[in-house]
Amino acid sequence: MRRLLAVTLVVVGVLWVRHLGATDSAALTRTALALGFTLVVASVAGDLLRRFRLPRLTGYLLFGLLAGPFLGNVISEPMARQLQAINGIATTLIALIAGLTLNIERFGKRLAAIARLTGAMLAIAMVGAFAMAWIAWPWLPVAPEAAGMAKFAMVALFVVIVISFSPTMAAAVIAETGSRGRLSDLVLAMIVLADLVLLVLFSLAMQLARATLGEGAGADVNVLVRLAWEIGGAIAFGSLVGALFALYLRYIGREVTIALLTVCAVLSQVGATQRLEPLLAALAAGLVIENLAVAEGDALKAAVQRGALPLLVVFFVAVGASLRLDALAAVGFVAVVLVAARVALIRLGVMAGLKVSGVDRETGEYAWTGLVSQAGITLGLTAVVAAEFPGWGGQVQTLLVALIVVDELLGPALFRHGLARAGEIDAHAHRPLIVVSNREPYLHNYDRDGRITCTPTTGGVAVALDALLRERGGIWIAHGAGPADRVVVDASDKLRVPPESPSYQLRRLWLEEREFAAYYEGFANQGLWPLCHLVDVRPTFRSEEWAAYQAVNARFAAAIDEELATTDTQVFIQDYHLALVAPRLRDLRPAARTALFWHIPWPYPDRLRICPWRREILAGLLANDLLAFQLERDRRNFVLAVEEELGADIEADGARIRFAGRSSTVVAAPIGVDYDRIQGVASDSALSGEQRRLVEMFRLGHEGVIVGVGVDRLDYTKGIPERLAALDRLLTARPELCGRLTFVQIGVPSRSGIESYQSIESAIDRKVTEINARHGAPGRPPPVCYHTSALKLPSLVALYRLAHFCVVSSLHDGMNLVAKEFVAARDDEDGVLVLSALAGAAQELGDALIINPYDIDGFVAALVRAVDMPLDERRARMRSMRRVVAGRNVFGWASDILEGLESLWTKPLQYAARAPEDAPV
């Protein structure tokens, strides 16, 4: 209804425009309002064409063309001067956007090869176009009577404009198709380099035209001096403005949109008044801003998206309004012929350039398809020519706008086809994925009869990534730890999994037992694990274990390199075991795309200083394109650490970090559980049978029994001794609960070869024995039922559904998925979650009973409240938590990270066209 009302209003506004005649002072308000309505309708027309996969600017042009005769009735002389200034700013903004698309760091050594390809393409295209235009000039509807140097100058300007390209349109196609790859990067880099050369040539041609035709500046000005001033001065002035704006972004960063438009206004007006080439100055400014202010790129991208649209609507509508339908109809056939000749020359130039440039043919074969579109730069050049040479320049503008309209109908479709042929887009399939982890998703064991069995790894993360690979295909690289793992792999150490429906490959990495112990039990779990958790266990760092850690990470990187068929494939690395994989992989594959998720907390900078190799680990993590943590506080701790330890350049909001010549994005992305799978188990008819089995196993069948549950690895960070102490205090304070309250503690042994883990296991055993001896009641279940075997998901869900309350008492935890699993399993909307404030899950599950596990009195009070809580309150709290858990499942977590990694790949290149609905053109 709101859209219909809006369209009705703007249509009425357009009809009103038609009836307005010459304006007087009393009608200025109506005139301005009518013009505003007209520009709104132009925007609607652009959005309408976008729905047909055509560029918005085509809609703006067509609307301006149709509404042009009526717009002339409402534009007064003051308004015309204002529109001229706005058009100058818009033209400058287009050139600035072009400069913002070329990030030198991204291309590195490839930039020289791309420059050679671009140069060869331009040389062939321009020489061919000049020869054709010279011969066909008498038949072109421009100035057929021109001859000699006047004809040479006109043809030179005409050819430069005809061959120009559109970075914004190419970026828009890439954003729309979701393309990510070397062809996309190649096309954008070629366009910007070519437009940079063409702007210099345009300045030279303009000087020649002024000197030859005796218009504008006059022929008496020394051409070489003016050219040096116009080109050199424009580049110097643009670089200065760009550097100042980059400093503004870095140290102030406020009202970026207004500052950006001010920069464009300065470039436009100073360029015009000082006879500098404003488009060249704007392009130079864009290049400087992009390569000096990479860390502030997101703020700049948002500013361009906010500020560009209204300016560009005005610009393209004004260009369209300056044309006549009868004139366009007259040049339509010529425009089609020009498009055909232009495309043929560009394609010929690209094919020839591939032979001399060093760009691989597979990447460059379809580059010509991205060079067809023309838009802002071309229109800006034609506007400059038309303003300086009103006669033949206006004819050139009419012909070239017709050329642009044809190009915009043809170009996006051709580029989309080229991207598809290059394998960079596929509407029906996801790109392959490589997952890398220490732990494998499936283990092969021998049963009692000597037969090989396959067991899936438990845990929400493994389940989610397994499901993701089933859907997308790809490879999972992990350490092979199962007794029968070597028997089932092929000669490449791979096999297809899952066994019931093979969908992806599992690549196993073999590690010597001694090497694995030093890397995993040593540096990873006696060094990094206690370093990152605020518990009373001292981190231990040994040089030989650090060497093993580096060596194993290098082996994982080598395995990834072997499996990485193309750098378009995403590499998703898991956790603290593999912090150095990305830099080792970067040595082998500089263009590889990697994301790492750090599942555990990140220590604050003072604690991090305990680690002798902290700088190497920080630098290694920054070798990833995307680095994700569970919580915002962990992300902040990391950002503080890299700033203090490495002196890295941090973006204003801390989301982007520049170090050692490259940029990394650091985000917080809390992990979730497989909510739908847990729901499926909870609703399965077999659940009641499993509950009966557990009731019998844990002796829970007595009437009126109150069941509490805790599910943990036996780890000193889980707060199990503190939990047992609180239970002991509760049963002492409330003796009537003895024989009625049973707490089922699932404690799965983990890392038992490490002394600190052995100590915690012994302490838990002793405490359970003491509680059961002190508070046990004859003929009743024990106060604590302690079970040290892992339960599969159906058994866990059944246990959660039996419980009156669940306790998560972590002393420090990145997230703790047990809390979320318990909530997901309670589709009966009952049960109470007692949750440590020191677990990451407490940041999301505010309706749990939040405790400090070190405060035993507060802990006991929470247990009392959990036992006594009325049903209405239990259900209200559980409903609220279930909404949170359902809205943030593990698949959403994985998709957010992988989609974030994809979007980062084109981030420096798409300020003008990142989000389809927000792109300015």
Side-chain angles (χ1 to χ4, degrees), residues 367-385:
W368 68 272
T369 64
L371 305 177
V372 174
S373 291
Q374 292 182 300
I377 292 289
T378 309
L379 280 173
L381 297 179
T382 61
V384 171
V385 172

Side-chain angles (χ1 to χ4, degrees), residues 717-783:
T717 66
K718 301 303 179 182
I720 301 174
E722 288 74 11
R723 184 183 312 168
L724 294 174
L727 284 167
D728 189 6
R729 180 80 68 88
L730 171 67
L731 293 172
T732 301
R734 296 274 299 270
E736 73 276 11
L737 293 176
C738 295
R740 289 184 56 218
L741 173 64
T742 295
F743 190 82
V744 179
Q745 175 64 57
I746 308 297
V748 181
S750 172
R751 307 167 189 166
S752 298
I754 300 175
E755 183 180 350
S756 55
Y757 285 83
Q758 295 171 358
S759 299
I760 200 72
E761 290 175 19
S762 300
I764 292 170
D765 287 338
R766 288 194 301 271
K767 190 63 177 179
V768 168
T769 302
E770 291 174 8
I771 292 173
N772 287 341
R774 184 179 300 122
H775 302 292
R780 303 289 291 183

